[in-house]
Amino acid sequence: ADFNSLLAVAEENSTVYVADGSYYDDITISTKGLTLLGNNAHSDWTATRREESIITGTINIKASNVTINGFKFTENGRIQATSATNSNPLSGIKVQHNYFTKSTLKRGTHNAVVKLGEMITNENVNNVSSQCRYKDCEVSHNYFEGDATHYPNCIGIGGAFGTTTIIDNYFYDGGTSIYMANAQGTLNIKYNVFKNVGKTSYTTLTDKYKGEFCIAIYRSGFANSTTANIIANEFDGCYGQGTAFPLIRIFPGGIGS
């Protein structure tokens, strides 16, 4: 199926309905306000899903107020937005009601199946350029299932500000479920379920970083305050990273602070 031909004629603030089937190409969304609805749009992860609109490539988001809703992502399938800057941020990106499974992306801080921005944790963390890149974004009502061989992070957001909403997602095994860096504003992490997160990497890897965090918030609150509302989440059979790290780890402030 040809995904790019659909996007070529899409107008601002329009909705594109994507039928079930497999879509292999990488695509770039540069149309502001575009909504992509797969065959399982608005279906909660607890519901029985219909035939899927399957994505095995990368959806690159380069516009604000884009919504991705109701798809299945597998193999190299992922959503990413990495073009925003402090002077030209993106806002209102929503990732909802999708099913992520059997990812072949590799484990690591800079790999996530939903990636909004680079995670800046080195000496550049204190720079203004690392802050305020993705405003008022939401990742909600998705299902993330880890793979026995590959453990990319599920959600990675670098440079969040405004109100960031991560609610009602299900995380099963895999890499770190939620990894945020350089955040400001309000983080609402609520009503998520974490099941056996880190179990596979803890039992198969031998280095000190085996296991995974459920929630990691790094180098946040620099210059302005950050409020993290981590409320009513469920943790069952999860493994913290390393031998002394908890399921939730928070590193506030910038380097040297």
Side-chain angles (χ1 to χ4, degrees):
D2 186 356
F3 213 145
N4 284 291
S5 64
L6 298 174
L7 300 182
V9 296
E11 299 180 349
E12 285 192 4
N13 303 312
S14 63
T15 299
V16 174
Y17 296 90
V18 182
D20 61 284
S22 295
Y23 301 84
Y24 306 102
D25 294 339
D26 296 339
I27 67 169
T28 297
I29 299 175
S30 301
T31 305
K32 183 178 180 180
L34 185 68
T35 296
L36 292 185
L37 297 182
N39 203 44
N40 281 287
H42 308 296
S43 294
D44 194 73
W45 55 264
T46 60
T48 300
R49 293 175 70 90
R50 298 180 290 274
E51 292 297 312
E52 297 278 3
S53 307
I54 302 171
I55 307 294
T56 58
T58 299
I59 296 180
N60 293 290
I61 300 174
K62 294 188 175 182
S64 292
N65 301 316
V66 169
T67 297
I68 310 295
N69 187 320
F71 293 86
K72 179 179 180 179
F73 291 81
T74 188
E75 298 177 14
N76 284 324
R78 60 180 173 177
I79 298 169
Q80 69 175 16
T82 57
S83 64
T85 64
N86 177 271
S87 59
N88 189 24
L90 294 178
S91 64
I93 295 172
K94 295 182 179 180
V95 178
Q96 303 168 321
H97 301 287
N98 300 291
Y99 192 101
F100 299 88
T101 183
K102 297 182 179 178
S103 176
T104 54
L105 300 176
K106 294 182 179 180
R107 184 178 189 242
T109 299
H110 300 286
N111 279 327
V113 291
V114 177
K115 178 182 177 180
L116 307 182
E118 293 293 343
M119 313 296 129
I120 299 174
T121 59
N122 57 19
E123 65 276 6
N124 295 320
V125 71
N126 292 351
N127 295 344
V128 171
S129 61
S130 71
Q131 312 296 314
C132 299
R133 292 172 280 146
Y134 295 89
K135 183 179 182 182
D136 297 338
C137 294
E138 177 182 331
V139 183
S140 62
H141 315 297
N142 302 285
Y143 183 97
F144 296 89
E145 182 179 36
D147 180 80
T149 305
H150 309 278
Y151 339 105
N153 293 346
C154 297
I155 300 170
I157 304 178
F161 70 115
T163 299
T164 302
T165 303
I166 302 175
I167 62 170
D168 188 39
N169 298 286
Y170 186 94
F171 302 95
Y172 184 85
D173 203 350
T176 292
S177 303
I178 300 169
Y179 190 114
M180 303 193 68
N182 325 114
Q184 297 182 24
T186 301
L187 313 179
N188 290 322
I189 302 174
K190 302 179 179 181
Y191 318 123
N192 300 287
V193 177
F194 302 87
K195 175 71 173 178
N196 290 345
V197 172
K199 181 177 181 179
T200 298
S201 71
Y202 191 89
T203 54
T204 59
L205 299 179
T206 58
D207 62 59
K208 64 180 180 179
Y209 298 113
K210 64 182 181 177
E212 306 291 345
F213 300 120
C214 295
I215 302 170
I217 302 174
Y218 277 23
R219 307 302 184 191
S220 295
F222 176 72
N224 293 298
S225 63
T226 302
T227 300
N229 298 311
I230 303 174
I231 300 172
N233 299 284
E234 179 181 333
F235 303 87
D236 182 9
C238 301
Y239 290 67
Q241 190 184 87
T243 58
F245 297 159
L247 303 182
I248 301 173
R249 195 175 195 197
I250 299 175
F251 275 4
I255 291 176
S257 64

